[in-house]
């Protein structure tokens, strides 16, 4: 971070008609011009208690970008950021996040925080308190990787959620496993009954996309639409307000 080697990439999310629904902010580290393996990088950061600090940097960068795009009159778009476990269950870490956001004077409606089931299972009540704190700022909350953990219905009842992200494991097998198709349909219907939107991640081909549309999925993310993009390339999408060619 001190050498400005950390870069935030953006992977777009799309509605079924090709309009951009949002994007997910993903961190990349470039050392001497070459990208360091992201899994190794993040594993090392977690092991050395650096992950919270790095994620604050990502949040700060995203807030600055949102403000920059607003001044340029680009299409307003919600950016999702993956929170760390501490930022979900620790009061002090959650307050650090809030302070960063307030210091940037960003319109929090265009921020989304993604959490996972594994983060909240052991500290559920603390997670509820912190998520309500974020929601109080106008930030939306998405439950990521849904379906592979405990998938407790208690999450639907008590968490202040806005959307559910179906894990890619179910998306991968849609073509040959009818049981996964039933599970995905059930998740979509249950989410909609609670007023949550549904995003499918890991969509990699047209078949998956068409099946998910028929099942009622609201938004889509994956290599079929776009890989994570550097900021400059992503800006071209929201500046021109164009639709992806795959939807023509």
């Amino acid at each position: 971070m001190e050498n400005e080697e950390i870069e935030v990439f953006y992977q777009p999310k799309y509605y079924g008609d090709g309009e951009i629904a949002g994007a997910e902010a993903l961190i990349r580290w470039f050392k001497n011009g070459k990208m360091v393996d992201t899994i190794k990088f993040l594993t090392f950061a977690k092991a050395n208690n650096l992950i919270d600090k790095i994620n604050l940097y990502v949040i700060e960068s995203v807030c600055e970008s949102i403000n920059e795009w607003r001044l340029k009159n680009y299409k307003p778009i919600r950016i999702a950021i993956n929170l760390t476990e501490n930022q979900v269950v620790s009061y002090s870490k959650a307050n650090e996040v809030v302070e960063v956001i307030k210091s940037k004077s960003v319109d929090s409606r265009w921020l989304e925080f993604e959490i996972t089931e594994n983060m909240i299972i052991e500290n559920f009540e603390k997670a509820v308190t912190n998520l309500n704190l974020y929601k109080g700022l106008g930030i939306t909350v998405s439950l990521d990787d849904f379906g592979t953990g405990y998938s407790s219905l208690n999450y639907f009842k008590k968490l202040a959620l806005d959307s559910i992200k179906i894990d890619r494991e179910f998306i991968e097998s849609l073509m040959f496993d009818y049981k996964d198709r039933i599970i995905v349909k059930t998740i979509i219907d249950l989410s909609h009954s609670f007023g949550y939107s549904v995003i499918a991640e890991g969509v990699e081909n047209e078949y998956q996309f068409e099946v998910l549309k028929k099942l009622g999925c609201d938004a889509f993310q994956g290599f079929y639409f776009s890989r994570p993009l550097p900021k400059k390339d992503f800006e071209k999408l929201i500046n021109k307000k164009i639709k992806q060619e795959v939807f023509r």
Side-chain angles (χ1 to χ4, degrees):
M1 290 185 290
E2 291 172 357
N3 295 331
E4 298 184 344
E5 296 172 349
I6 300 294
E7 187 174 344
V8 178
F9 277 46
Y10 297 88
Q11 186 172 26
K13 304 173 187 177
Y14 287 92
Y15 294 119
D17 64 356
E19 290 291 344
I20 296 178
E24 180 178 0
L26 299 166
I27 193 169
R28 298 291 185 264
W29 176 19
F30 289 88
K31 186 71 174 177
N32 298 323
K34 295 182 179 180
M35 190 175 76
V36 178
D37 182 273
T38 304
I39 294 177
K40 291 182 179 179
F41 158 41
L42 294 178
T43 300
F44 179 85
K46 290 176 183 177
N48 290 274
N49 297 318
L50 295 169
I51 193 67
D52 295 324
K53 184 177 180 180
I54 292 172
N55 217 48
L56 279 179
Y57 177 86
V58 173
I59 294 170
E60 185 176 16
S61 298
V62 169
C63 289
E64 290 173 353
S65 293
I66 291 174
N67 285 336
E68 179 185 337
W69 297 332
R70 179 180 60 82
L71 292 174
K72 292 180 178 179
N73 292 319
Y74 287 178
K75 177 185 176 73
I77 189 167
R78 182 172 289 116
I79 305 298
I81 302 168
N82 296 281
L83 291 185
T84 69
E85 183 172 353
N86 284 334
Q87 290 166 343
V88 176
V89 301
S90 166
Y91 300 141
S92 61
K93 295 296 182 182
N95 279 311
E96 285 181 359
V97 172
V98 170
E99 288 304 313
V100 166
I101 293 171
K102 288 183 176 179
S103 71
K104 295 299 177 181
S105 300
V106 70
D107 187 340
S108 300
R109 292 178 301 166
W110 304 112
L111 285 174
E112 178 178 354
F113 286 162
E114 293 191 4
I115 64 171
T116 63
E117 299 174 57
N118 292 335
M119 290 179 177
I120 61 180
I121 190 65
E122 293 183 3
N123 295 283
F124 188 75
E125 296 305 323
K126 289 182 178 179
V128 169
T129 299
N130 287 334
L131 292 179
N132 284 332
L133 176 65
Y134 296 139
K135 291 280 290 182
L137 297 177
I139 300 167
T140 59
V141 176
S142 177
L143 186 60
D144 196 6
D145 299 336
F146 188 81
T148 58
Y150 294 91
S151 302
S152 170
L153 296 182
N154 208 31
Y155 300 155
F156 280 83
K157 186 172 69 173
K158 289 189 175 182
L159 288 178
L161 299 173
D162 295 281
S163 61
I164 300 296
K165 208 169 186 182
I166 302 175
D167 187 81
R168 66 180 65 244
E169 180 178 315
F170 294 108
I171 309 305
E172 290 173 352
S173 56
L174 279 178
M175 188 177 297
F176 52 85
D177 193 333
Y178 78 95
K179 291 182 179 178
D180 276 351
R181 216 175 296 182
I182 294 172
I183 291 173
V184 169
K185 176 61 175 173
T186 302
I187 293 173
I188 292 172
D189 290 345
L190 179 63
S191 299
H192 285 167
S193 68
F194 277 86
Y196 307 148
S197 61
V198 182
I199 305 164
E201 65 177 349
V203 182
E204 297 189 353
N205 57 59
E206 185 177 6
Y207 178 85
Q208 293 170 341
F209 173 53
E210 293 298 335
V211 169
L212 288 163
K213 276 205 301 184
K214 289 179 182 178
L215 294 178
C217 194
D218 300 297
F220 312 86
Q221 179 183 1
F223 289 173
Y224 176 61
F225 311 100
S226 174
R227 292 179 177 272
L229 302 171
K231 181 181 174 181
K232 289 184 178 180
D233 291 339
F234 178 68
E235 285 178 342
K236 295 176 183 177
L237 288 179
I238 58 177
N239 182 20
K240 295 182 180 179
K241 305 180 183 179
I242 60 174
K243 294 184 179 182
Q244 286 283 80
E245 283 196 19
V246 296
F247 298 100
R248 289 181 179 176

